[in-house]
Amino acid sequence: MQSSRPALRLLRQAARNRRCLATATAGHAPTASHVHTPAAEPKRAPAAAIPLSNIEAQWALLSPDEKSSVAEQLEELQKRDWNLLSHDEKKAAYYVAFGPHGRRKPIHEKGEGFKIFLGVVAAVGLSGVLWYAIRHVSPPPPQTMSKEWQEAMNERALEQKMNPLTGIASEGYKGPGFVQSK
């Protein structure tokens, strides 16, 4: 009678810690206060199958061990004829394989698109204001950037016969020369 008390205590503790989807068994590991040897450890009962109906709502609540057991359970089911699978089993198999979790989890939550749009508009607006402020406080362009100055540079280059093979002083040259301004 006295040896069954620790087992009952473990059962009660497991029942308290049981989650709605997982089934606790007497084989759960005892707490750290209990010292046991591997030979005295009770045999673990196989975990009960997690119901596959509405797995989409349950998936986020499952632990990684439970998720892997559901995946293994679905692998075994998929080895059978697919015509014999129930609608819930097919939906669960599809959700586990292609659902929005793990690597397929969306990067942005629903409704964040507008926030991203406002952030981009704010960044573009801020860069426009910054560009205008820099242009406003910067000095005017040097006089050598005026069109008249650049045309005078072309005339001087022709007087000195600058680059007579391919440049402005060559025969049939039709380029703009030094004129860059409009």
Side-chain angles (χ1 to χ4, degrees):
M1 177 83 179
Q2 197 168 2
S3 64
S4 66
R5 281 190 179 172
L8 286 174
R9 189 176 319 139
L10 284 176
L11 276 175
R12 282 190 211 124
Q13 183 181 8
R16 276 181 279 172
N17 294 337
R18 182 182 358 199
R19 295 181 51 186
C20 62
L21 296 175
T23 58
T25 63
H28 277 231
T31 60
S33 63
H34 294 87
V35 178
H36 68 281
T37 60
E41 185 175 331
K43 293 186 179 181
R44 295 180 184 228
I50 295 173
L52 296 177
S53 61
N54 199 12
I55 194 74
E56 300 90 1
Q58 301 171 10
W59 190 258
L61 303 174
L62 296 176
S63 70
D65 292 337
E66 292 169 335
K67 288 178 183 180
S68 65
S69 71
V70 167
E72 290 170 6
Q73 179 184 358
L74 287 170
E75 281 182 32
E76 291 300 318
L77 287 174
Q78 291 176 47
K79 290 179 183 176
R80 300 185 336 204
D81 184 15
W82 276 63
N83 293 327
L84 300 177
L85 293 179
S86 70
H87 184 65
D88 286 338
E89 291 170 340
K90 290 178 186 177
K91 279 178 54 177
Y94 182 81
Y95 182 81
V96 169
F98 302 109
H101 51 80
R103 284 185 262 146
R104 290 186 176 90
K105 184 176 182 180
I107 296 172
H108 305 291
E109 296 292 325
K110 194 170 188 174
E112 286 187 4
F114 187 67
K115 291 179 186 177
I116 293 170
F117 174 74
L118 287 179
V120 169
V121 168
V124 169
L126 181 65
S127 63
V129 168
L130 185 63
W131 177 83
Y132 181 75
I134 290 172
R135 294 287 297 207
H136 185 69
V137 297
S138 64
Q143 66 179 0
T144 57
M145 293 301 293
S146 68
K147 188 172 184 175
E148 296 80 23
W149 189 279
Q150 292 170 357
E151 288 172 350
M153 287 172 55
N154 277 349
E155 291 173 15
R156 179 79 173 144
L158 287 173
E159 288 173 9
Q160 293 182 346
K161 297 185 180 170
M162 186 183 287
N163 197 358
L165 298 177
T166 59
I168 193 167
S170 65
E171 287 184 31
Y173 179 77
K174 296 180 178 155
F178 293 105
V179 178
Q180 298 175 6
S181 301
K182 293 182 179 183

